[in-house]
């Protein structure tokens, strides 16, 4: 990490606003630190006593003008509550990436920020999105060897990462004769640091092709009905262990796509774009799809896997997959399964 020197802001892109930010930071004495593509205030701020705030105190801020900086944003978001941390995502050119995160000292501050600033016009014709931040604490590690035990894996993780709460092993739904681990950490920061360490380090987790990622909601839902146990190389009950048996899925409402489109229109997030790819079929007629949904107003695309079974010539398997993943995205955005919604992300 490094403290930004004044010369880093003297490039030709958006020079006036950058100079205004420098003048404001000098006048207020506020320290901004840039690391890994984001610029941070606080975490903790000056004079903070005690540990970090609990979960549920962070909000996501989207649809920001890219030439708007902390000199405008910090006073705005501090007006409704005490900030513990403010993180603005940055490009190499010195523009912001259109979104930020504000963490308050308590949950009330986060609720006040959402109530006051969701759809708030920071400039004429430019309304921002403010909603609850999803503070992820769970990772998935897919592609572990069948010989890896939960005890050995947990011992390795406790040695190379901090904040491990639990480790669970399942038969991999995507790879034959492999296991998938779900790792739960004590905080989003601990999980993020573990993800970075496991992806970039030389730690051997028992599988050359093991992939570390955030635990996606559709994968979590699919694993919930399964009994947690290490995968065994022996066939059980006459069924080949390499063929995953999809968990029973709830009926997907036919209007899931329409409801997602309507929600995106209400929240001014832009129309969702779907990419679906069939990756495998099992003997029972179930198809597994890899799906990606890009919503312009959301910072990160939704990615994951879902199982569907075609229901006849009237609707293709790809349409079924779109509807299934649309329902998952609705849940992530705060829609209940029966309609309505809170706009939470």
């Amino acid at each position: 990490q490094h403290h930004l020197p004044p010369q880093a802001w003297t490039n030709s892109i958006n020079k006036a606003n950058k100079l205004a930010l420098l003048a404001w930071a000098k006048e207020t004495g506020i320290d901004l630190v840039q690391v890994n593509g984001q610029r941070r205030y606080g975490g903790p701020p000056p004079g903070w006593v005690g540990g970090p705030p609990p979960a549920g105190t962070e909000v996501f801020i989207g649809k920001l003008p890219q030439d708007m900086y902390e000199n405008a944003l910090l006073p705005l978001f501090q007006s409704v509550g005490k900030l513990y941390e403010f993180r603005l995502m940055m490009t190499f050119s010195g523009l912001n990436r259109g979104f930020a995160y504000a963490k308050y000292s308590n949950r009330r501050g986060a609720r006040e920020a959402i109530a006051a600033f969701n759809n708030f016009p920071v400039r004429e014709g430019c309304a921002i999105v403010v909603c609850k931040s999803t503070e992820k604490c769970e990772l998935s590690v897919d592609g572990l060897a069948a010989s890896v035990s939960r005890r050995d894996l947990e011992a390795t993780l406790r040695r190379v990462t901090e904040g491990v709460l639990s480790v669970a092993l399942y038969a991999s739904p995507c790879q034959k004769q492999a296991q998938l681990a779900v790792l739960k950490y004590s905080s989003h920061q601990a999980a993020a640091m573990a993800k970075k360490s496991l992806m970039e380090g030389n730690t051997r987790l028992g599988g050359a092709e093991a992939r570390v990622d955030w635990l996606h909601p559709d994968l979590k839902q699919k694993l919930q009905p399964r009994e947690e146990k290490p995968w065994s190389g022996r066939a059980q009950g006459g069924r080949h262990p390499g063929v995953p048996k999809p968990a029973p899925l709830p009926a997907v409402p036919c209007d899931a796509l329409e409801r997602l489109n309507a929600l995106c229109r209400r929240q001014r997030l832009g129309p969702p774009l779907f990419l679906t790819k069939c990756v495998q079929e099992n003997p029972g007629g179930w198809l597994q799809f890899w799906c990606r949904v890009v919503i312009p107003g959301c910072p990160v695309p939704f990615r994951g896997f879902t199982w569907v079974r075609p229901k006849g010539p009237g609707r293709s398997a790809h349409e079924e997959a779109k509807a299934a993943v649309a329902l998952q995205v609705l849940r992530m955005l705060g829609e209940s399964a029966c309609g309505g919604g809170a706009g939470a992300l």
Side-chain angles (χ1 to χ4, degrees):
Q1 73 181 35
H2 61 277
H3 296 264
L4 288 180
Q7 60 266 28
W9 292 90
T10 55
N11 60 58
S12 60
I13 299 177
N14 198 30
K15 183 176 180 179
N17 284 18
K18 292 173 182 175
L19 290 175
L21 171 64
L22 283 174
W24 171 82
K26 184 176 181 180
E27 179 183 346
T28 59
I30 283 180
D31 192 22
L32 302 175
V33 180
Q34 185 156 333
V35 56
N36 293 338
Q38 57 181 278
R39 196 164 59 226
R40 188 180 74 238
Y41 158 77
W48 181 268
V49 177
T57 55
E58 186 175 82
V59 299
F60 165 76
I61 306 155
K63 302 188 74 173
L64 287 170
Q66 286 193 276
D67 59 348
M68 181 171 281
Y69 300 118
E70 290 88 347
N71 54 323
L73 295 170
L74 274 176
L76 182 67
F77 283 89
Q78 283 175 327
S79 69
V80 295
K82 180 176 177 60
L83 281 175
Y84 173 79
E85 184 180 62
F86 189 92
R87 295 180 290 129
L88 184 62
M89 306 300 123
M90 301 298 297
T91 69
F92 288 112
S93 66
L95 296 170
N96 78 59
R97 292 170 57 196
F99 66 100
Y101 294 90
K103 193 175 188 72
Y104 285 87
S105 61
N106 53 48
R107 294 187 179 98
R108 180 179 178 180
R111 291 195 299 268
E112 293 286 347
I114 294 169
F117 300 129
N118 189 36
N119 292 323
F120 179 80
V122 290
R123 290 180 185 166
E124 186 175 354
C126 185
I128 60 175
V129 171
V130 180
C131 56
K132 183 180 176 182
S133 171
T134 303
E135 300 177 61
K136 302 175 184 177
C137 297
E138 292 177 299
L139 302 176
S140 66
V141 183
D142 200 2
L144 294 171
S147 59
V148 173
S149 71
R150 189 191 65 79
R151 181 180 296 178
D152 290 344
L153 178 60
E154 185 172 352
T156 299
L157 291 168
R158 291 192 183 282
R159 189 171 65 250
V160 299
T161 67
E162 296 182 0
V164 180
L165 293 182
S166 65
V167 178
L169 279 175
Y170 303 86
S172 171
C174 305
Q175 299 186 45
K176 293 183 179 181
Q177 300 186 3
Q179 295 187 101
L180 179 142
V182 174
L183 319 178
K184 188 170 184 178
Y185 283 83
S186 58
S187 68
H188 173 73
Q189 183 176 3
M193 293 300 292
K195 180 174 181 287
K196 181 178 173 65
S197 175
L198 294 173
M199 290 179 70
E200 297 179 0
N202 295 317
T203 306
R204 295 191 62 83
L205 294 177
E209 302 299 322
R211 295 195 307 273
V212 182
D213 202 351
W214 293 110
L215 179 62
H216 291 296
D218 60 335
L219 177 58
K220 184 174 182 177
Q221 182 186 28
K222 186 162 60 179
L223 292 174
Q224 279 177 346
R226 299 186 179 196
E227 180 185 355
E228 181 217 330
K229 56 186 176 183
W231 183 87
S232 169
R234 298 185 302 273
Q236 299 175 9
R239 181 168 55 88
H240 193 287
V243 178
K245 181 181 179 181
L249 297 177
V252 176
C254 296
D255 64 345
L257 284 167
E258 289 82 355
R259 287 202 284 117
L260 179 58
N261 278 301
L263 178 65
C264 289
R265 285 196 298 272
R266 288 200 306 274
Q267 296 291 335
R268 300 180 185 177
L269 299 175
L273 304 174
F274 291 81
L275 175 64
T276 58
K277 181 180 180 181
C278 185
V279 293
Q280 71 169 311
E281 178 178 2
N282 76 6
W286 288 84
L287 302 175
Q288 188 184 42
F289 279 81
W290 176 84
C291 303
R292 177 183 172 96
V293 184
V294 178
I295 298 176
C298 292
V300 180
F302 174 88
R303 293 182 299 240
F305 295 88
T306 188
W307 286 94
V308 298
R309 176 180 275 169
K311 295 181 179 178
R315 186 163 168 173
S316 73
H318 283 272
E319 289 301 312
E320 292 288 345
K322 284 183 182 180
V325 78
L327 189 62
Q328 294 297 324
V329 175
L330 280 168
R331 289 170 180 158
M332 290 180 69
L333 293 169
E335 271 291 275
S336 66
C338 58
L345 185 62

